[in-house]
Amino acid sequence: MKAIRIYEFGGPDVLRYEDIPEPQPGPGEILIRVIAAGVNPIDWKIRSGYMPGLPLPMIMGLDVTGIVEAVGQGETSFQPGDEIFAKVSIGQGGYAEYTVTSSTQAAKKPRSIGFVESAAIPTAGLAAWQSLFDIAGLESGQSVLIHGAAGGVGTFAVQFAKWKGAHVIGTASSKNAEFLRSIGSDEVIDYRNQRFEEIVNNLDVVLDTIGGDTFEKSWKVLKPGGFLVSTVASIPEGMPQKYGVRAKTLMTQADGRELAQIAAIIDEQKIKPIVTTVLPLADAKKAHEMSESRHTRGKIVLRVAEDPR
């Protein structure tokens, strides 16, 4: 099968498009014929060596959607022919024509959208869901500030928060303001020309996907007991106590049950994945370069095979 692998950590040039053996499912696993693979910032961070010690060579990619080709011993949750999507473990490889994953990491894909859109969901969708609901406990009537609202995690977070009934504020460049309002932002702050810390305060939740100064300035806009969740920054010791708030760094977990919940909401037409770029698998290098620029809207997806429907 064709796959994108790395033999060393480094820039986009270390990505190799090559033929490798097709994997086989073990007990409790499913073999997926991949139709599309999502691209996430964690992909190029892994490629760059942010997580040293990972075994090489490695097939890249975490997000897949496709069709169950075979099931391992004892697997009863899925059957060959099922259309699924999943967040696979590091090294199992989403950038490939076939991959295997534990059945607990997969769910049946949304019926109302195609494979390409479904591939955009797993990591970013789970990151937004787990940040807002599992960690911060966002509820209807509360206020949430989402930094990087036009990005992959941000576009899901805006829609999830609006679906929940929260007041949603997003930071983004002015060119994305109208887009963010169209998917649920009640307010949009232009981070290039406005200081969010001078505009909002007394918030229930802040979701930070940017880090740096944005993260540092977010403490002061929370109400006492509010929650700061960051997908990129570590929580400095003593800082939550200083401001009288709670805080946590997200470590996104693969969770088939939560993917099934997200699929149901999509099929109710409450939210939708935002895919702005679709490239062939062989163009993974270009996809990484685009993702690494940090200025893409929504998600980048690699098309691995033609949609069979």
Side-chain angles (χ1 to χ4, degrees):
M1 68 173 187
K2 292 291 187 183
I4 300 289
R5 285 207 295 189
I6 61 170
Y7 290 79
E8 60 183 329
F9 299 114
D13 287 340
V14 303
L15 297 170
R16 296 192 188 180
Y17 180 59
E18 60 185 9
D19 289 300
I20 65 171
E22 182 183 312
Q24 297 301 316
E29 293 183 330
I30 55 177
L31 173 66
I32 305 166
R33 177 161 59 89
V34 179
I35 306 299
V39 177
N40 297 286
I42 187 63
D43 297 351
W44 59 258
K45 290 178 181 179
I46 291 170
R47 186 212 72 221
S48 299
Y50 281 46
M51 300 171 67
L54 293 173
L56 297 173
M58 176 195 301
I59 306 172
M60 296 300 299
L62 301 178
D63 289 358
V64 298
T65 186
I67 298 169
V68 175
E69 188 83 358
V71 300
Q73 182 180 359
E75 171 51 41
T76 59
S77 300
F78 298 99
Q79 298 178 348
D82 284 346
E83 298 180 353
I84 60 91
F85 68 143
K87 173 179 164 60
V88 304
S89 299
I90 293 173
Q92 285 181 313
Y95 297 4
E97 292 179 323
Y98 291 88
T99 190
V100 295
T101 189
S102 166
S103 63
T104 62
Q105 296 174 288
K108 291 187 177 178
K109 65 174 277 297
R111 299 183 305 275
S112 59
I113 61 175
F115 287 94
V116 166
E117 290 173 293
S118 296
I121 300 168
T123 294
L126 287 170
W129 185 276
Q130 291 170 8
S131 294
L132 296 178
F133 305 138
D134 297 349
I135 295 176
L138 183 69
E139 297 178 353
S140 177
Q142 291 187 322
S143 55
V144 58
L145 173 64
I146 299 166
H147 291 304
V153 175
T155 52
F156 280 107
V158 167
Q159 294 179 85
F160 287 152
K162 191 65 176 179
W163 165 78
K164 194 69 172 181
H167 181 81
V168 184
I169 307 158
T171 64
S173 62
S174 58
K175 68 179 182 180
N176 285 317
E178 184 176 346
F179 160 70
L180 286 176
R181 291 190 181 95
S182 75
I183 64 170
S185 278
D186 297 292
E187 301 178 49
V188 180
I189 297 172
D190 177 4
Y191 74 89
R192 289 176 174 165
N193 298 303
Q194 297 175 293
R195 298 175 182 268
F196 72 89
E197 69 273 19
E198 297 177 354
I199 297 173
V200 295
N201 57 62
N202 211 37
L203 300 174
D204 294 289
V205 177
V206 175
L207 172 55
D208 163 50
T209 69
I210 304 298
D213 288 343
T214 299
F215 171 74
E216 296 296 336
K217 293 175 180 177
S218 293
W219 297 99
K220 63 182 69 175
V221 302
L222 287 162
K223 64 170 54 173
F227 216 122
L228 172 58
V229 184
S230 181
T231 63
V232 291
S234 299
I235 309 302
E237 185 176 352
M239 194 65 77
Q241 293 79 6
K242 175 182 177 181
Y243 286 95
V245 300
R246 297 165 291 165
K248 188 171 182 177
T249 301
L250 172 76
M251 298 295 290
T252 308
Q253 302 298 314
D255 191 321
R257 291 174 299 177
E258 289 188 335
L259 285 178
Q261 288 179 277
I262 294 170
I265 297 169
I266 289 172
D267 285 337
E268 292 169 5
Q269 298 186 337
K270 303 296 185 182
I271 68 167
K272 60 182 179 180
I274 307 299
V275 177
T276 53
T277 303
V278 181
L279 297 168
L281 178 62
D283 282 352
K285 176 184 173 182
K286 181 178 179 181
H288 275 224
E289 291 170 344
M290 293 178 66
S291 178
E292 208 161 347
S293 75
R294 300 174 187 259
H295 291 295
T296 57
R297 176 192 289 184
K299 293 299 299 292
I300 302 166
V301 172
L302 297 172
R303 190 190 303 276
V304 181
E306 290 302 313
D307 190 327
R309 297 189 298 176

